[in-house]
Amino acid sequence: MNVWIAIGATAVGCYLVKLLGLSVPAGVLDRPLVKRLATLVPVALLAALTAQQTLSRGSELVIDARAAGLGAAAVALLLRAPFLLVIAVAVVVTAGVRALGG
C-alpha cells in the first residue's frame, strides 16, 4: 500500500509543478537570465547523468570500459563527427576495451 501512496504523491507533485510552470507570468519568462538558465539547465543535467552512469557502480567510483567509450565519444565530438558516428565510436571502443579484459 505504501507504494501506491508514493505513486499518488508523485503524480500530484508532478501535476502541481506543471501547473506552477503554466501560471508563471510571460514577463518573467522573457527575461534574459531565465532564457539562459532554461537553455543551460537541461545540458547540465544530461552531463551529470552521463557522468554518474558512466563513472559509478552503486556508491563507488569506477573507471572501466565505459569511461574509455565516453572519452572516445568526446574526442569524436571534438573532431565534429556526426552524432551516429560518435555513438558508434563509443560502442566500438567500449566493446574493444571489454574484449581486451578491461
Side-chain angles (χ1 to χ4, degrees):
M1 187 65 177
N2 289 338
V3 172
W4 288 109
I5 293 171
I7 291 171
T10 302
V12 169
C14 289
Y15 179 77
L16 290 175
V17 168
K18 180 77 169 182
L19 185 64
L20 179 67
L22 292 173
S23 64
V24 173
V28 173
L29 299 175
D30 290 335
R31 293 181 182 166
L33 178 62
V34 174
K35 286 183 178 182
R36 182 99 170 123
L37 285 175
T39 303
L40 294 177
V41 166
V43 175
L45 288 174
L46 183 59
L49 178 64
T50 301
Q52 191 270 334
Q53 290 292 316
T54 302
L55 301 174
S56 70
R57 184 178 300 132
S59 62
E60 62 185 40
L61 178 67
V62 176
I63 306 295
D64 59 3
R66 297 175 296 173
L70 183 63
V75 170
L77 281 172
L78 288 173
L79 296 174
R80 299 192 184 268
F83 181 70
L84 289 177
L85 183 60
V86 171
I87 299 299
V89 165
V91 167
V92 168
V93 168
T94 302
V97 171
R98 285 185 177 166
L100 293 174

